[in-house]
C-alpha cells in the first residue's frame, strides 16, 4: 500500500507539472474594448467631425509581442456600418478576421463584433484603420506595434526607447462630403494639410542626449506621399513593414500611403529643440508640418529658420526613383529566422500584369484594374465561397494581362492555389504615383522601371536580396514587379492605398485555395461571424 501511495503521489506530481507546462504554453491574450464614436476635433484649426476610438484621435495603440492573441471588441456607435482592417497583419489561416468587405459583413450601427486573431511570427511596425466607405479620411486609425520576444535578439543596436509617428494628409471636408464628391464623378481636391499623430505642428518627442531611439513612422494618409526627416540628425533604417532592412543612413525618407518604416536616431547634437519635418511629395503646392525632437532639459525654441521642405519638382523621373526610393534589400524580421529565402531561383507558376487606369463608366469617374472597376457585392466573397453560394462572384473573370475591352463594373477575383509562387507586375498608366497593398501575404519587391513592362524588364530584377513587404509604390507611367509565395489560404484584398481610387474601383481579390479541408491550412468560420446578403441565416 505504501508503494502504491508513493507511486500515486509521484504520478500526480508528474501530471501537475504537465498541467503547469501546458497552461503556460499557450501564447498570451490581449483584450481590448473599443467604442467607435463621432467626435469634434480641430486638427487644422477648424472644428470638424472625426472618428474616435475610446474618445481618442488617433485611436489607441496596440503594443504587442510576437504570437500574442489579440481580442478586440469593436462597438460601432456610428450611424453607418463599419469595419477595421489590420494593415500588414497576415491573419494566418484566418482571413475571416481581415476586416474588409470581401471577407466580413460590416458591423451594423449601434452593435458590436469581436475580432480574434494571432500576431503569428511577425515583428515590426503596422497600423489599423477603417476599411468601409471613406471613414478612413476622418480618423479611426492607429498604431499596431509588434515587438520581438525577450529571448529573441534583434539585428541592430539596443535603443533607449521608441516613438510612434502616424503621419498623413488631412481634409477639412468630412467623409460624407468627400464620398458625395466621388459618387458625383468628381476627383478629390488636394488635401488641406498634414498631421503627425493627429496634430499639426504641436507634438513633442523627448529624449536624452547621447542615447539612441527608434522612430516608427507610418503614412496613414489617404492620398499623398510623405517625405520625412529630422533636422540635424541621420536616420539609420532598420525595418520596413516587418522586414529588417540593410542599416544605411538617410537624411530623409519617402514614405508612401500605407507604408511603414522604423529608423534609429542617436541624439548627438547640442541640447536644444530640433524640428521633425514631414512634407508632401509630388504635389504643388508642397504641404509641410512639424513636430519637435526635444533633448531632455531643453527649454529653448526649435532651431530656426523653420524648414519648409526641399523644393521638389512635380514632374517625376526614374533618376529620382533610383535616388529616393526606399531601400530594396533586407532580411526577414521573423522571430525564428529560417535563413535566406531564395525567391530568385523559384519557378514562377503564374504572372499577373495589373494595369490601373482612370475610366468613365456610365458617365461617371471610375478606376479599373485590367478593365474591371471593382464593386463590393452585398454578400462577402469569403462567405459566398465557404457556403458555396452562387451568383456572388466568378473565379478568373479578370484577365491576367491588360485588356483592350471597354471598362466595366464587376466583382473581380483571381483563383490561385495555395503555395503557388507568382509574379505580379503593377503597371501604372497614370501621371500620378500609386501605392498597392496585399492583405494576407508578403511579396519581394524585385524591380522598378519606367514606361511599359515587358518580359525583357526581368533582366533588371534584383533576384538576390529584395525586401519582403506588403505595400509598394508604383511611380507615374511606370511599373513595379514583385514575387509572392502564397503560403496563406484565404480570400485576400489587393488594393490601391490611394483611398479615393480604391473607393472608385481600384482593387481586386486573390482567392488562395486548395481542396484540403484542414485546420492546419485554414480555420473554420468563427462562431460569431456576422451574416449578411445571401449568407444571412
Amino acid at each position: 500500500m505504501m508503494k502504491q501511495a508513493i507511486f500515486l503521489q509521484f504520478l500526480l506530481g508528474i501530471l501537475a507539472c504537465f498541467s503547469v507546462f501546458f497552461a503556460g504554453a499557450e501564447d498570451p491574450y490581449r483584450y481590448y474594448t473599443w467604442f467607435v464614436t463621432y467626435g469634434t476635433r480641430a486638427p487644422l484649426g477648424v472644428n470638424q467631425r472625426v472618428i474616435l476610438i475610446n474618445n481618442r484621435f488617433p485611436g489607441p495603440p496596440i503594443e504587442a509581442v510576437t504570437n500574442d492573441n489579440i481580442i478586440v471588441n469593436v462597438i460601432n456607435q456610428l450611424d453607418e456600418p463599419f469595419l477595421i482592417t489590420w494593415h500588414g497583419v497576415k491573419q494566418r489561416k484566418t482571413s475571416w478576421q481581415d476586416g474588409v468587405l470581401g471577407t466580413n459583413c460590416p458591423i451594423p450601427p449601434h452593435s458590436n463584433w469581436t475580432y480574434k486573431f494571432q500576431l503569428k511570427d511577425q515583428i515590426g511596425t503596422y497600423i489599423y484603420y477603417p476599411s468601409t466607405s471613406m471613414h478612413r479620411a476622418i480618423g479611426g486609425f492607429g498604431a499596431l506595434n509588434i515587438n520581438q520576444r525577450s529571448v529573441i535578439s534583434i539585428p541592430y543596436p539596443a535603443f533607449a526607447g521608441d516613438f510612434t509617428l502616424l503621419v498623413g494628409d488631412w481634409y477639412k471636408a468630412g467623409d460624407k462630403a468627400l464620398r458625395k464628391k466621388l459618387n458625383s464623378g468628381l476627383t478629390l481636391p488636394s488635401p488641406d494639410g498634414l498631421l503627425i499623430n493627429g496634430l499639426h505642428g504641436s507634438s513633442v518627442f523627448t529624449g536624452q542626449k547621447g542615447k539612441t531611439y527608434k522612430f516608427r513612422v507610418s503614412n496613414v494618409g489617404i492620398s499623398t506621399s510623405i517625405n520625412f526627416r529630422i533636422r540635424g540628425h541621420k536616420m539609420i533604417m532598420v525595418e520596413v513593414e516587418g522586414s529588417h532592412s540593410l542599416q544605411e543612413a538617410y537624411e530623409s525618407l519617402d514614405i508612401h500611403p500605407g507604408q511603414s518604416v522604423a529608423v534609429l536616431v542617436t541624439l548627438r547634437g547640442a541640447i536644444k529643440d530640433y524640428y521633425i519635418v514631414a512634407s508632401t511629395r509630388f504635389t504643388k503646392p508642397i504641404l509641410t508640418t512639424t513636430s519637435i525632437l526635444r533633448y531632455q532639459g531643453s527649454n529653448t525654441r526649435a532651431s530656426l529658420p523653420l524648414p519648409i521642405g526641399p523644393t521638389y519638382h512635380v514632374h517625376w523621373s526614374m533618376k529620382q526613383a533610383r535616388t529616393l526610393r526606399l531601400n530594396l534589400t533586407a532580411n526577414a524580421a521573423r522571430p525564428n529566422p529560417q535563413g535566406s529565402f531564395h525567391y530568385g531561383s523559384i519557378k514562377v507558376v503564374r504572372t499577373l500584369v495589373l494595369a490601373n487606369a482612370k475610366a468613365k463608366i456610365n458617365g461617371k469617374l471610375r478606376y479599373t484594374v485590367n478593365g474591371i472597376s471593382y464593386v463590393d457585392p452585398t454578400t462577402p466573397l469569403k462567405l459566398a465561397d465557404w457556403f458555396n453560394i452562387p451568383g456572388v462572384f466568378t473565379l478568373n473573370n479578370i484577365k491576367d494581362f491588360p485588356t483592350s475591352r471597354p471598362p466595366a463594373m464587376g466583382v473581380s477575383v483571381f483563383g490561385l492555389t495555395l503555395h503557388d509562387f507568382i509574379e505580379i507586375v503593377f503597371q501604372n498608366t497614370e501621371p500620378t504615383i500609386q501605392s498597392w497593398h496585399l492583405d494576407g501575404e508578403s511579396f519581394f519587391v524585385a524591380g522598378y522601371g519606367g514606361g511599359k513592362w515587358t518580359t525583357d524588364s526581368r533582366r533588371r530584377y534584383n533576384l538576390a536580396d529584395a525586401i519582403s513587404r506588403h505595400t509598394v509604390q508604383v511611380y507615374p507611367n511606370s511599373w513595379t514587379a514583385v514575387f509572392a509565395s502564397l503560403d496563406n489560404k484565404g480570400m485576400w484584398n489587393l488594393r490601391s492605398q490611394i483611398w479615393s481610387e480604391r473607393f472608385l474601383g481600384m482593387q481586386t481579390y486573390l482567392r488562395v485555395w486548395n481542396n484540403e479541408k484542414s485546420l492546419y491550412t485554414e480555420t473554420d468560420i468563427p462562431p460569431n461571424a456576422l451574416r449578411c446578403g445571401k449568407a444571412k441565416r
Side-chain angles (χ1 to χ4, degrees):
M1 294 291 292
M2 180 65 70
K3 289 183 177 179
Q4 289 178 336
I6 293 173
F7 176 76
L8 182 60
Q9 288 179 343
F10 176 76
L11 182 61
L12 290 173
I14 293 294
L15 291 174
C17 290
F18 271 108
S19 65
V20 170
F21 172 79
F22 284 113
E26 190 173 10
D27 293 302
Y29 281 75
R30 296 179 186 266
Y31 295 89
Y32 306 87
T33 299
W34 286 359
F35 290 87
V36 180
T37 62
Y38 293 119
T40 301
R41 295 289 188 274
L44 293 177
V46 177
N47 283 340
Q48 63 183 110
R49 188 175 75 166
V50 301
I51 291 177
L52 306 176
I53 298 179
N54 291 354
N55 204 37
R56 295 179 64 171
F57 170 78
I62 291 178
E63 296 287 346
V65 176
T66 298
N67 288 357
D68 280 356
N69 294 284
I70 305 297
I71 314 294
V72 187
N73 182 18
V74 176
I75 301 168
N76 177 18
Q77 297 183 333
L78 307 183
D79 59 357
E80 295 181 322
F82 183 79
L83 278 174
I84 289 175
T85 189
W86 315 94
H87 187 86
V89 174
K90 292 296 176 290
Q91 303 295 354
R92 298 283 182 193
K93 303 185 291 185
T94 58
S95 64
W96 308 104
Q97 309 293 330
D98 199 27
V100 293
L101 290 174
T103 58
N104 295 83
C105 297
I107 306 169
H110 310 294
S111 66
N112 74 298
W113 192 67
T114 301
Y115 290 87
K116 300 177 182 179
F117 56 91
Q118 187 179 24
L119 304 174
K120 183 67 175 172
D121 290 347
Q122 289 189 262
I123 295 173
T125 304
Y126 305 92
I127 54 178
Y128 65 83
Y129 51 79
S131 66
T132 40
S133 190
M134 289 295 290
H135 293 141
R136 185 179 175 185
I138 61 167
F141 51 78
L144 200 170
N145 297 326
I146 309 176
N147 298 289
Q148 80 283 358
R149 295 169 174 168
S150 59
V151 296
I152 302 297
S153 62
I154 51 177
Y156 48 85
F159 49 91
D162 62 34
F163 303 117
T164 297
L165 287 77
L166 304 177
V167 185
D169 50 32
W170 189 256
Y171 290 80
K172 294 178 182 177
D175 61 312
K176 293 185 178 180
L178 296 176
R179 186 174 65 196
K180 183 178 179 180
K181 184 179 288 286
L182 291 170
N183 284 333
S184 68
L186 301 175
T187 58
L188 295 187
S190 297
D192 298 299
L194 297 181
L195 305 179
I196 298 177
N197 291 354
L199 301 171
H200 182 72
S202 55
S203 52
V204 178
F205 303 89
T206 302
Q208 293 184 9
K209 179 180 173 65
K211 293 190 175 181
T212 298
Y213 295 86
K214 179 195 279 187
F215 284 74
R216 301 176 182 268
V217 188
S218 298
N219 187 337
V220 295
I222 66 169
S223 64
T224 313
S225 299
I226 304 294
N227 183 264
F228 176 83
R229 55 209 182 272
I230 302 175
R231 188 174 186 185
H233 293 75
K234 291 287 181 70
M235 301 179 291
I236 307 298
M237 184 184 292
V238 293
E239 180 232 326
V240 176
E241 297 170 15
S243 289
H244 292 142
S245 64
L246 293 179
Q247 295 171 29
E248 297 181 343
Y250 295 85
E251 292 185 352
S252 69
L253 288 170
D254 284 356
I255 308 174
H256 305 282
Q259 295 183 355
S260 298
V261 301
V263 297
L264 295 183
V265 178
T266 301
L267 277 53
R268 293 193 175 98
I271 297 180
K272 60 179 181 179
D273 291 350
Y274 296 85
Y275 279 114
I276 299 171
V277 187
S279 57
T280 58
R281 288 284 282 121
F282 313 114
T283 66
K284 192 176 182 180
I286 296 170
L287 302 175
T288 299
T289 190
T290 61
S291 290
I292 297 296
L293 171 58
R294 173 163 295 165
Y295 281 37
Q296 198 165 34
S298 169
N299 292 314
T300 61
R301 297 182 63 189
S303 54
L304 296 175
L306 173 66
I308 60 172
T311 15
Y312 294 126
H313 297 289
V314 177
H315 299 293
W316 173 91
S317 69
M318 282 305 299
K319 182 178 180 181
Q320 286 176 302
R322 285 192 293 271
T323 56
L324 294 171
R325 71 192 183 195
L326 289 180
N327 196 304
L328 286 180
T329 55
N331 297 310
R334 294 174 61 85
N336 300 299
Q338 302 299 304
S340 299
F341 190 91
H342 299 291
Y343 65 92
S345 60
I346 299 175
K347 182 180 179 181
V348 172
V349 301
R350 189 168 173 183
T351 294
L352 307 178
V353 179
L354 307 181
N356 62 271
K358 182 188 294 187
K360 279 286 184 75
I361 301 176
N362 299 326
K364 291 187 176 180
L365 173 67
R366 297 290 299 186
Y367 290 87
T368 64
V369 180
N370 287 3
I372 297 181
S373 183
Y374 186 87
V375 181
D376 281 301
T378 55
T379 306
L381 307 176
K382 185 62 185 173
L383 290 181
D385 201 24
W386 186 263
F387 292 114
N388 295 312
I389 300 172
V392 177
F393 72 93
T394 302
L395 284 178
N396 297 315
N397 62 330
I398 179 172
K399 302 298 183 183
D400 289 7
F401 292 85
T403 175
S404 59
R405 69 182 182 185
M409 314 272 271
V411 181
S412 53
V413 181
F414 288 99
L416 297 152
T417 302
L418 183 64
H419 301 305
D420 273 358
F421 188 77
I422 66 170
E423 176 186 36
I424 304 176
V425 179
F426 299 104
Q427 180 71 65
N428 185 5
T429 65
E430 297 296 316
T432 54
I433 198 166
Q434 275 298 328
S435 184
W436 281 94
H437 168 76
L438 176 59
D439 284 350
E441 314 280 355
S442 289
F443 45 64
F444 296 91
V445 183
Y448 296 90
K452 186 177 180 180
W453 180 88
T454 68
T455 55
D456 286 340
S457 303
R458 291 178 177 138
R459 297 177 181 176
R460 302 171 55 184
Y461 284 7
N462 173 3
L463 298 178
D465 58 355
I467 199 165
S468 175
R469 58 191 306 175
H470 52 73
T471 307
V472 68
Q473 71 271 18
V474 192
Y475 293 103
N477 298 306
S478 299
W479 56 267
T480 296
V482 305
F483 291 125
S485 179
L486 304 179
D487 61 355
N488 196 14
K489 190 173 178 177
M491 187 74 72
W492 304 114
N493 191 209
L494 178 61
R495 60 179 176 265
S496 171
Q497 287 301 117
I498 312 301
W499 215 245
S500 61
E501 299 182 7
R502 188 249 188 186
F503 179 82
L504 291 178
M506 196 183 297
Q507 58 174 316
T508 186
Y509 279 82
L510 308 186
R511 178 190 185 251
V512 180
W513 186 255
N514 68 357
N515 289 326
E516 176 189 8
K517 187 171 178 58
S518 168
L519 296 180
Y520 289 104
T521 57
E522 185 176 39
T523 63
D524 288 335
I525 184 171
N528 70 332
L530 298 174
R531 305 287 186 88
C532 55
K534 295 181 178 181
K536 273 189 175 180
R537 297 183 193 278

